[in-house]
Amino acid sequence: MKIDLLQMVENGGCSAKIPPRQLEEILKYLPLPVDPNILVDIDTHDDAGVYKVNDDLALVLTTDFFPPVCSDPYEFGQIAAANSISDVYAMGGTPVVALNILMFPASRLPIEAYAEILKGGSDMASEAGLRIIGGHTIDDFPPKYGLAVVGYVHPGKIITNSGARSGDSLILTKPIGTGTILAGQRLNMAIKKDIDEALRLMKLLNKSGAEVMKRYDIKGATDITGFGLAGHMLKMARASRVSVRINMKKVPLIGNAYKLIDEGCIPGAAFRNLEYAETDTLFAPDLDYNLKMLAYDAQTSGGLLISAPHDLEKKIIAELKAAGLEESSVIGHVTEPAGKLVHLDN
Ligand code: CO
Ligand code: CO
Ligand code: CO
């Protein structure tokens, strides 16, 4: 029997996140714990929490899980794991150990699918040099999978949302458009070549990009996931108390993502992300509408967004490309606070 996980979900991958505005409302009710060893908490909307153990070691802690983004259970496991591990890389950390988190409808799917999801996750963890040492499963529909990951980082070498500085160049390591391509797949509008490329990119670990960041002592970065490029950029600008300018024409796109948006294939998550970011964003009057919607397209296991000193930009891009991230590009820059937090240009 051929299993097609995509038949089971409306919103797969990071598109299934709680809308950012609602999430912020909910987080207001959570008291922030006070402890001098907490180096990064939810205050800066960072990718992971960081807890200092001693002067040489801090733990990076993160979890992500979501419903299927693709049909094949093994590939779903790979993508979910790559996405979960990514938050450790975005913080400058090295992933060390992890726990599986799996929700699986045992009465509605053959048990082989269960094994395949976990096998995909386990193989991706091995690629990252990460050991999965436990986990937890409950019966639930539709299936959801991800990891809770623990990484190591030196307390003085943490890379955060709040580390972007005026004058920095903004570098993106993977093209965007996974949300649009997946929506196109669902509507039978996307071509196989683009779907395959989206799958390849979602399975691509942010490990090599993170290694380049560490060589250059980068202070500010995040990974692009459910809130879309411009949504994550907004969180970074706010945390760093700067403004950011994005040139949407410089942002690399997956295959026919632009054409799909033009044909009306715009995922709901893009509208929710736009609604959240709108009041803090200045849109260029001549901004192309399709590019605007792509800026808010929810990415699953997207690339790193790196805030790098301007004079290092060429070297970093060259190293990223040499590391296999061929579409790495400078897509904008950081400025002093300039009215709105995010400026979206053509
Ligand atoms: Co993240
Ligand atoms: Co995350
Ligand atoms: Co348990």
Side-chain angles (χ1 to χ4, degrees):
M1 180 189 136
K2 181 87 184 111
I3 298 159
D4 183 357
L5 296 180
L6 273 189
Q7 296 293 321
M8 308 185 127
V9 285
E10 283 273 327
N11 284 308
C14 292
S15 307
K17 270 195 189 185
I18 299 278
R21 194 179 297 282
Q22 266 169 277
L23 181 63
E24 279 186 9
E25 282 301 314
I26 295 160
L27 290 178
K28 280 185 196 154
Y29 293 94
L30 267 188
L32 277 183
V34 180
D35 176 336
N37 291 319
I38 298 174
L39 304 181
V40 177
D41 61 17
I42 61 168
D43 199 34
T44 49
H45 294 267
D46 258 293
D47 297 298
V50 183
Y51 191 83
K52 183 172 146 184
V53 177
N54 59 43
D55 288 345
D56 300 312
L57 179 68
L59 300 177
V60 185
L61 303 133
T62 178
T63 184
D64 271 41
F65 53 90
F66 51 54
V69 274
C70 58
S71 301
D72 181 67
Y74 178 78
E75 266 188 322
F76 170 47
Q78 287 179 296
I79 293 168
N83 180 75
S84 304
I85 304 166
S86 175
D87 281 327
V88 175
Y89 291 132
M91 305 293 294
T94 304
V96 182
V97 287
L99 303 172
N100 279 316
I101 297 170
L102 181 60
M103 284 138 240
F104 189 84
S107 59
R108 299 170 74 158
L109 271 177
I111 211 75
E112 294 82 69
Y114 189 133
E116 285 292 303
I117 293 170
L118 290 178
K119 177 81 167 59
S122 162
D123 286 352
M124 189 53 72
S126 300
E127 202 179 315
L130 170 76
R131 285 161 286 276
I132 296 177
I133 57 174
H136 188 77
T137 310
I138 58 165
D139 198 275
D140 191 28
F141 179 86
K144 297 158 200 85
Y145 176 61
L147 302 174
V149 188
V150 176
Y152 287 163
V153 71
H154 187 283
K157 296 198 168 148
I158 304 165
I159 302 174
T160 66
N161 257 343
S162 55
R165 294 290 167 264
S166 171
D168 281 0
S169 298
L170 293 165
I171 297 171
L172 181 68
T173 66
K174 290 185 193 177
I176 63 167
T178 59
T180 301
I181 302 285
L182 293 167
Q185 178 180 18
R186 214 174 284 275
L187 299 168
N188 275 322
M189 290 166 77
I191 59 170
K192 183 167 184 305
K193 182 167 173 269
D194 289 352
I195 297 166
D196 288 347
E197 179 61 359
L199 290 170
R200 182 188 74 83
L201 287 162
M202 291 189 288
K203 289 189 276 189
L204 184 65
L205 283 170
N206 279 323
K207 186 180 185 194
S208 51
E211 280 161 5
V212 174
M213 280 204 297
K214 283 198 236 177
R215 280 203 285 279
Y216 286 93
D217 200 21
I218 296 300
K219 299 282 183 249
T222 189
D223 60 344
I224 305 302
T225 57
F227 303 138
L229 174 67
H232 286 281
M233 205 79 106
L234 171 60
K235 286 175 181 287
M236 186 181 244
R238 189 177 283 146
S240 299
R241 301 172 198 279
V242 294
S243 287
V244 297
R245 265 204 123 89
I246 314 174
N247 298 97
M248 283 308 297
K249 289 215 163 118
K250 292 190 178 166
V251 177
L253 306 174
I254 303 170
N256 294 293
Y258 183 93
K259 186 164 159 265
L260 284 171
I261 295 262
D262 200 49
E263 289 166 353
C265 173
I266 310 177
F271 289 104
R272 292 196 292 276
N273 287 334
L274 169 62
E275 191 200 305
Y276 164 74
E278 221 161 22
T279 51
D280 291 306
T281 306
L282 187 67
F283 302 97
D286 62 340
L287 179 64
D288 180 300
Y289 177 77
N290 300 334
L291 291 179
K292 176 177 171 180
M293 294 318 292
L294 279 161
Y296 295 101
D297 185 41
Q299 304 302 292
T300 297
S301 191
L304 295 171
L305 178 79
I306 304 170
S307 186
H310 177 73
D311 55 332
L312 293 175
E313 112 189 354
K314 286 203 174 67
K315 277 188 178 174
I316 293 176
I317 291 280
E319 285 196 32
L320 289 168
K321 289 187 175 178
L325 300 162
E326 282 103 11
E327 289 178 82
S328 296
S329 309
V330 176
I331 60 155
H333 58 276
V334 183
T335 69
E336 294 291 329
K340 303 282 181 177
L341 290 165
V342 177
H343 295 242
L344 275 192
D345 298 333
N346 261 328

